[in-house]
Amino acid sequence: MRLLCQSDDPQIKTIRYAFFDGDNIGNTIENLLNNGRVQEATYLSESIKLAIFQIELFIKSTDDTELIIAGGDDVLIKYNTEKYNHTFLEKISKIFSKHTGLSMSCGVGENVSQAINNLANAKQGTKGIIKYTNYEEEVQNYPMKQTKLYIFATSDDPNPYINVIAHCEVNYPNLNEIIVIGITADRGKTGSEMTKLHKLKDNISNQLENLSKGKYLKKKDEDWETMDLQIEVADCQRYSKLKNININIKVFGYQDL
């Protein structure tokens, strides 16, 4: 669809529609209720309302966009593609994820019907993506270019690494791999360094697993003990999402740097 801007100097702009829908919302709330976690289900419901409200504020404060629908966990907008690209759409999804810990899928089309169909296609595949129709934008279907995070290992305590991973997952799109790096001056000790990194990888994975369940691993002497943790359901969802990121390890010698 081509529209003329209303100005003394008309400019051509291209309008697209984007339909967003939260992923696995019903199943998540149902699982919480079935497990007797009514308060957490209530909190998640309120978090979804807050997320949609914040998205409304964001759209209404952004030029060349229009909010058409915002309710439940659905958002329908139209926007100027000459001015905004996938980064703008990702910002909307990130607002939802920030408040709920859950992802949003999005379908984009030249009209509302196309946007709805593309949203349905996005839901059938890998959730949390932006699905386009227009051939010029088809190459931008997400996930696109994947992001890798490299971390130098300095301790077997998983918590500093988890903090870094959580920060990068929010601020960098499509983070799908973490590479934990060890460095040794003695090539003969490469094996022992690999053993340390494997242990660290296990510690990170175990801590994420516990945090996603509202628990916490605390080191006591040489062992780890599990503690109950007061944590919001949205935070549990975020840690659960981090569990899906691949963690790999690699050892370098100083001479190879």
Side-chain angles (χ1 to χ4, degrees):
M1 182 185 297
R2 295 256 177 202
L3 298 179
L4 290 179
C5 295
Q6 300 299 317
S7 65
D8 294 332
D9 254 339
Q11 269 185 329
I12 297 296
K13 65 179 180 179
T14 305
I15 296 299
R16 291 289 183 271
Y17 294 83
F19 207 136
F20 295 83
D21 181 51
D23 295 321
N24 300 320
I25 301 300
N27 289 339
T28 301
I29 292 177
E30 183 179 342
N31 288 336
L32 289 173
L33 293 174
N34 285 336
N35 286 282
R37 299 161 67 181
V38 177
Q39 186 173 359
E40 293 180 33
T42 301
Y43 178 83
L44 177 57
S45 177
E46 293 300 319
S47 297
I48 292 169
K49 292 178 184 178
L50 176 59
I52 297 301
F53 174 69
Q54 293 296 333
I55 290 172
E56 285 188 59
L57 294 180
F58 173 66
I59 297 300
K60 290 178 179 178
S61 65
T62 304
D63 294 334
D64 269 344
T65 67
E66 181 182 335
L67 180 68
I68 300 173
I69 292 174
D73 59 339
D74 295 332
V75 175
L76 174 62
I77 67 168
K78 66 178 182 180
Y79 66 101
N80 178 7
T81 61
E82 303 294 331
K83 197 168 184 179
Y84 304 108
N85 59 14
H86 60 270
T87 303
F88 164 69
L89 301 178
E90 283 186 331
K91 287 181 180 179
I92 296 173
S93 295
K94 285 185 179 295
I95 293 172
F96 188 83
S97 181
K98 174 183 176 182
H99 291 284
T100 67
L102 298 171
S103 62
M104 263 190 149
S105 294
C106 175
V108 180
E110 297 180 3
N111 51 56
V112 175
S113 179
Q114 279 188 357
I116 292 173
N117 288 335
N118 282 334
L119 174 60
N121 290 332
K123 289 283 192 177
Q124 291 176 2
T126 302
K127 292 182 173 62
I129 69 169
I130 302 169
K131 177 69 178 175
Y132 293 85
T133 292
N134 185 278
Y135 74 94
E136 294 176 338
E137 297 170 326
E138 189 68 32
V139 294
Q140 294 181 353
N141 284 343
Y142 273 63
M144 270 185 59
K145 182 179 178 182
Q146 302 300 317
T147 302
K148 296 182 181 180
L149 170 64
Y150 295 85
I151 304 177
F152 287 100
T154 57
S155 165
D156 65 348
D157 182 355
N159 297 312
Y161 306 95
I162 290 175
N163 291 338
V164 171
I165 294 168
H167 171 80
C168 291
E169 194 279 329
V170 170
N171 291 280
Y172 297 91
N174 304 317
L175 176 63
N176 77 319
E177 184 179 5
I178 299 154
I179 301 174
V180 181
I181 298 173
I183 299 176
T184 178
D186 185 349
R187 286 184 175 177
K189 295 183 178 179
T190 298
S192 61
E193 188 67 24
M194 286 291 290
T195 299
K196 291 179 183 178
L197 294 184
H198 276 295
K199 182 179 179 181
L200 173 58
K201 176 182 175 180
D202 290 342
N203 288 344
I204 293 172
S205 297
N206 290 337
Q207 188 69 290
L208 286 173
E209 180 68 31
N210 278 274
L211 288 170
S212 69
K213 297 176 180 178
K215 298 183 181 297
Y216 178 76
L217 286 178
K218 182 178 181 181
K219 191 169 186 179
K220 185 176 182 181
D221 298 326
E222 295 301 316
D223 297 320
W224 295 85
E225 60 180 16
T226 303
M227 304 171 55
D228 289 327
L229 188 67
Q230 294 296 322
I231 185 171
E232 302 292 355
V233 64
D235 292 322
C236 287
Q237 294 289 344
R238 291 189 185 99
Y239 289 122
S240 182
K241 185 178 180 181
L242 295 181
K243 292 191 303 178
N244 296 324
I245 302 175
N246 294 324
I247 302 177
N248 295 309
I249 59 177
K250 192 171 184 63
V251 175
F252 290 96
Y254 280 116
Q255 63 272 21
D256 298 323
L257 294 178

